[in-house]
């Protein structure tokens, strides 16, 4: 069985063809980074318009690379939650059109659950049950994952997401967009203990996150109060490196501590990590060390499956097998985290 998967939740237009035995026949991701770069963040209206222009060419190119035609496809899966409303609508409309024209089943994908499923796909291992940690540009969530269809939200950020914090910090340090990879590069060789940044909500058993205070602390480390506008970008490259390393360490500390708390709370011995920030080298190294120290199994999606892609939409195979197909009335659910 061949599944066409579509992903347009934020600023990547992506499609893939995967089989029900997890073989990836083709995957295409059209990045919009160059369109959003000069604004220092994703502009929703620009994102949705770019999806409209790209969705058909991306699907065509995916089929071409898989050496297939639409007639070879058995079902269409689409991420309909959570994400930017206008972006989600483009992918969902394309998926519905294909299902209507070709009389194919439509399967809904929760983008955050799919980020966790990338670990299952890449490893080929039976990762469930596990604690799932999603660290992306828009979300930071911990899940109790009983299986591909059983996700229970344990905690989420109450303000900024980890990736958003990376992006905003990078912008304060005068680094290029997207900020996460740039800040991580800038941090290389820096002294991670040069600045003592806050680690919010790490004590106790609460599994929610907060990163907005960390962002403010960085701002004050760059220019002490009273706040100055515009914020001066540090002139000393050594200071940028140390600030970046210290900031990154604070985020990594929090994510590692919360993941461990979630493992203890659930009694599970497996941690799966996905989402753009999971590509961060320092985070991967820390979690790998923690896995040895605290004896848990660790699966982190490979970097190309951490950032947004349609391959992870293969999570839909489980729903399809369980008969969980949607009517063409399916809507987008932009918020969809606490509910989804
Ligand atoms: O999962 P993703 O591609 O999109 C969303 O669903 O949001 O995540 C994008 C986020 C951005 O905030 C980006 O800066 C961050 O992931 N990111 C990183 C790294 N690569 C991407 N953050 C830290 N270190 C990285 N190497
Ligand atoms: Zn994502």
């Amino acid at each position: 069985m061949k599944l066409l998967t579509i992903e347009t939740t934020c600023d990547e237009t992506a499609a893939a063809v995967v089989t029900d035995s997890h073989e990836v026949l083709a995957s295409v991701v059209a990045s919009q980074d160059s369109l959003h770069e000069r604004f220092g963040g994703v502009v929703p209206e620009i994102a949705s318009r770019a999806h409209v222009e790209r969705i058909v060419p991306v699907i065509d190119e995916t089929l071409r690379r898989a050496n297939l035609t639409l007639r070879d496809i058995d079902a269409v899966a689409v991420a309909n939650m959570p994400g930017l409303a206008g972006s989600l609508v483009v992918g969902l409309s394309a998926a519905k059109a294909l299902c209507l024209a070709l009389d194919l089943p439509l399967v809904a994908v929760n983008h955050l659950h799919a980020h966790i499923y990338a670990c299952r796909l890449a490893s080929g291992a039976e990762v469930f049950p596990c604690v799932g940690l999603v660290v992306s540009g828009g979300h930071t969530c911990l899940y109790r994952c009983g299986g591909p269809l059983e996700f229970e939200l344990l905690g989420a950020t109450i303000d900024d997401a980890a990736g958003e914090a990376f992006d905003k910090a990078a912008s304060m340090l005068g680094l290029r967009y997207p900020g996460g990879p740039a800040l991580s590069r800038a941090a290389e060789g820096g002294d991670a203990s040069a600045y003592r940044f806050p680690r919010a909500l790490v004590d106790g058993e609460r599994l929610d996150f907060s990163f907005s205070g960390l962002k403010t602390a960085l701002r004050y480390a760059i220019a002490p109060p009273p706040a100055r506008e515009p914020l001066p970008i540090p002139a000393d490259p050594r200071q940028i490196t140390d600030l970046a390393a210290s900031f990154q360490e604070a985020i990594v500390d929090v994510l590692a501590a919360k993941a461990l708390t979630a493992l203890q709370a659930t009694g599970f011995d497996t941690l799966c990590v996905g989402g753009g920030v999971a590509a961060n080298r320092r985070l991967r190294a820390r979690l790998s060390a923690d896995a040895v120290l605290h004896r848990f199994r660790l699966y982190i999606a490979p970097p190309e499956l951490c950032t947004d892609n349609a391959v992870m939409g293969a999570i839909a195979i489980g729903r399809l097998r369980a008969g969980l197909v949607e009517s063409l009335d399916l809507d987008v659910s932009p918020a969809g985290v606490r509910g989804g």
Side-chain angles (χ1 to χ4, degrees):
M1 180 181 288
K2 297 181 188 70
L3 193 68
L4 174 68
T5 56
I6 296 174
E7 153 65 45
T8 61
T9 57
C10 188
D11 63 338
E12 321 284 355
T13 316
V17 180
V18 289
T19 69
D20 54 350
S21 52
H22 282 169
E23 197 186 344
V24 181
L25 301 183
S27 168
V28 174
V29 180
S31 164
Q32 298 181 10
D33 283 353
S34 60
L35 301 180
H36 302 287
E37 183 172 7
R38 72 190 171 104
F39 302 102
V42 177
V43 182
E45 187 59 27
I46 292 176
S48 47
R49 283 165 190 254
H51 285 308
V52 170
E53 285 168 8
R54 292 159 189 221
I55 188 71
V56 172
V58 164
I59 292 172
D60 279 348
E61 177 62 13
T62 306
L63 291 168
R64 194 190 65 75
R65 289 191 197 177
N67 207 13
L68 297 172
T69 72
L70 281 173
R71 298 274 163 212
D72 300 312
I73 298 299
D74 299 296
V76 180
V78 61
N80 73 321
M81 70 166 83
L84 300 172
S87 293
L88 288 164
V89 162
V90 179
L92 181 60
S93 305
K96 284 183 182 179
L98 289 169
C99 289
L100 185 65
L102 300 162
D103 195 22
L104 293 177
L106 175 68
V107 192
V109 168
N110 178 312
H111 176 79
L112 301 179
H113 301 179
H115 268 307
I116 298 298
Y117 199 75
C119 296
R120 163 77 184 83
L121 266 175
S123 67
E126 186 42 79
V127 300
F128 299 107
C130 66
V131 165
L133 171 63
V134 181
V135 273
S136 73
H139 300 93
T140 305
C141 307
L142 275 164
Y143 289 96
R144 173 203 293 269
C145 314
L149 300 178
E150 273 179 71
F151 283 72
E152 182 198 337
L153 186 69
L154 299 172
T157 183
I158 57 171
D159 41 54
D160 291 350
E164 188 180 358
F166 267 109
D167 292 336
K168 288 176 177 169
S171 152
M172 284 189 241
L173 294 173
L175 303 169
R176 285 191 64 156
Y177 174 86
L183 190 136
S184 146
R185 275 193 302 276
E188 273 167 34
D191 176 2
S193 59
Y195 296 85
R196 186 70 202 159
F197 288 131
R199 276 83 169 146
L201 309 180
V202 280
D203 297 325
E205 288 169 14
R206 189 169 171 192
L207 291 171
D208 289 328
F209 302 82
S210 167
F211 294 110
S212 69
L214 173 61
K215 181 186 63 189
T216 308
L218 174 67
R219 188 188 170 91
Y220 289 148
I222 295 171
R228 271 181 275 160
E229 288 291 348
L231 189 68
I233 288 165
D236 176 4
R238 182 75 225 171
Q239 192 194 2
I240 293 182
T241 301
D242 286 347
L243 283 166
S246 303
F247 185 89
Q248 174 174 260
E249 199 65 13
I251 293 192
V252 167
D253 275 353
V254 170
L255 296 175
K258 293 279 173 187
L260 203 56
T261 307
L263 284 165
Q264 283 156 358
T266 55
F268 291 168
D269 67 353
T270 305
L271 175 67
C272 285
V273 191
V277 179
N280 183 274
R281 284 166 61 178
R282 179 72 193 118
L283 177 64
R284 296 172 86 91
R286 163 66 71 80
L287 292 174
S288 301
D290 281 1
V292 175
L293 195 64
H294 299 284
R295 296 201 176 92
F296 59 85
R297 293 195 307 158
L298 174 68
Y299 296 98
I300 311 183
E304 68 279 10
L305 290 187
C306 285
T307 43
D308 287 348
N309 64 86
V311 174
M312 63 192 192
I315 192 173
I317 292 163
R319 291 184 74 82
L320 194 58
R321 282 197 184 127
L324 296 170
V325 295
E326 309 294 332
S327 79
L328 293 183
D329 289 339
L330 179 68
D331 205 349
V332 299
S333 184
V337 177
R338 298 261 171 201

